[in-house]
C-alpha cells in the first residue's frame, strides 16, 4: 500500500504513481498527482486536482474521491465499462478510439479521442462530447443528457437515444445567427445547423420533425438544440 502525505506547510507537491496488477491501496495527499492504476487496485484521492489513468483491465477498480477535481483518462481503447466503484470524477477523457459506457455518476463530462468513439451515458445529467472523428453518442433512457461539441466536432456524428429532455449544444455557433434544417435520411434524421460562417451536419437516430426543433442560446457563445 502507498500513502502520500500532505506537505506540512500546505504547499502542493505533485507525484507520479504507477500501480501494478494487485490489490494495493493508493492514498493521495494534497498535491495534484498523476496515477496509473493497475487492475485490482484501490485509489483514495485527496484535496488535489488529480489525473487518473485506467485501461479496460482497471475499469472496475475502486476510486474514492476527496475534495479535489479528478480527471479520468481511459488509455488503450477497446470496449470499456466504468465500474460502479469509480466515483467523484468530473471529466472522462479517451486517449484513443474507445467504446465507452459510463457508470451512474451524474454531472460528468466524457470527451472522445481523435478517433471513432462510441460513448454511452450511464445516467441522467451527463455530457457527451465526441471530439474529432465520426462518433456515436448514446443518451441515457432517463434523459437530461447533453450532447456538446464544436461544429467541427459534432459533424458526422450519430446521436442515439435523443429525448425531449436532452439538449445538443454547438458551442461555436452563436444563437442569433443560427439556422437549422433537417431531413429524413433512412432510419435517421440529418440535421444541419449553420451560423456565423460555421456549419455542422449530424444524424439523430429516428425521425424528428423539423417543426419540433427549438433553438436557444447556451448562455455563452453557442446554440442549444432541443426537440419537443
Amino acid at each position: 500500500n502507498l500513502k502520500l502525505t500532505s506537505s506540512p506547510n500546505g504547499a502542493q507537491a505533485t507525484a507520479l504513481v504507477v500501480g501494478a496488477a494487485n490489490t494495493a491501496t493508493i492514498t493521495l495527499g494534497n498535491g495534484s498527482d498523476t496515477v496509473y492504476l493497475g487492475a485490482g487496485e484501490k485509489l483514495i484521492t485527496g484535496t488535489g486536482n488529480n489525473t487518473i489513468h485506467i485501461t479496460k483491465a482497471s475499469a472496475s477498480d475502486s476510486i474514492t474521491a476527496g475534495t479535489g477535481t479528478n480527471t479520468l483518462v481511459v488509455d488503450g481503447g477497446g470496449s470499456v465499462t466504468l465500474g460502479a466503484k469509480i466515483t467523484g470524477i468530473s471529466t472522462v477523457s479517451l486517449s484513443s478510439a474507445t467504446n465507452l459506457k459510463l457508470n451512474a455518476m451524474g454531472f460528468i463530462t466524457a470527451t472522445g479521442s481523435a478517433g471513432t468513439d462510441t460513448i454511452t451515458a450511464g445516467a441522467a445529467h451527463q455530457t457527451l462530447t465526441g471530439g474529432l472523428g465520426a462518433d456515436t453518442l448514446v443518451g441515457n433512457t432517463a434523459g437530461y443528457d447533453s450532447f456538446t461539441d464544436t461544429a467541427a466536432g459534432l459533424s458526422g456524428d450519430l446521436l442515439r437515444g435523443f429525448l425531449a429532455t436532452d439538449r445538443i449544444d454547438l458551442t461555436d455557433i452563436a444563437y442569433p445567427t443560427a439556422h437549422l434544417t433537417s431531413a429524413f435520411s433512412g432510419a435517421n434524421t440529418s440535421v444541419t445547423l449553420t451560423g456565423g460562417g460555421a456549419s455542422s451536419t449530424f444524424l439523430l437516430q429516428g425521425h424528428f420533425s423539423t417543426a419540433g426543433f427549438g433553438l436557444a442560446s447556451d448562455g455563452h457563445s453557442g446554440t442549444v438544440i432541443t426537440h419537443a
Side-chain angles (χ1 to χ4, degrees):
N1 294 343
L2 173 66
K3 182 176 182 180
L4 303 182
T5 58
S6 300
S7 301
N9 61 0
Q12 290 190 348
T14 60
L16 171 63
V17 180
V18 180
N22 54 38
T23 57
T25 296
I26 301 169
T27 304
L28 303 181
N30 67 343
S32 296
D33 304 313
T34 299
V35 180
Y36 289 81
L37 277 182
E41 293 186 310
K42 179 179 181 179
L43 175 66
I44 302 172
T45 69
T47 59
N49 300 325
N50 306 292
T51 301
I52 305 158
H53 290 257
I54 65 167
T55 64
K56 177 180 179 179
S58 53
S60 295
D61 286 3
S62 174
I63 299 176
T64 303
T67 58
T69 300
N70 299 293
T71 297
L72 189 70
V73 180
V74 180
D75 296 321
S79 294
V80 178
T81 299
L82 294 189
K85 294 181 180 180
I86 295 179
T87 62
I89 300 298
S90 59
T91 302
V92 178
S93 178
L94 308 181
S95 64
S96 60
T98 304
N99 184 340
L100 173 69
K101 183 174 182 180
L102 297 170
N103 63 15
M105 284 183 289
F107 303 100
I108 187 173
T109 297
T111 302
S113 70
T116 301
D117 304 300
T118 297
I119 304 175
T120 302
H125 303 293
Q126 295 183 341
T127 298
L128 310 182
T129 300
L132 299 178
D135 305 304
T136 299
L137 307 176
V138 185
N140 190 263
T141 55
Y144 298 98
D145 292 317
S146 178
F147 303 86
T148 301
D149 212 333
T150 63
L154 198 63
S155 284
D157 289 355
L158 170 64
L159 279 53
R160 295 168 46 197
F162 182 66
L163 303 177
T165 57
D166 294 330
R167 50 185 260 160
I168 302 166
D169 186 356
L170 287 101
T171 59
D172 58 352
I173 296 182
Y175 167 63
T177 65
H179 174 70
L180 183 146
T181 59
S182 69
F184 295 158
S185 177
N188 303 313
T189 301
S190 177
V191 178
T192 298
L193 189 74
T194 58
S199 179
S200 183
T201 299
F202 54 91
L203 293 175
L204 293 178
Q205 184 184 50
H207 286 168
F208 294 81
S209 66
T210 300
F213 287 107
L215 302 181
S217 171
D218 66 358
H220 303 284
S221 57
T223 298
V224 168
I225 303 172
T226 55
H227 195 278

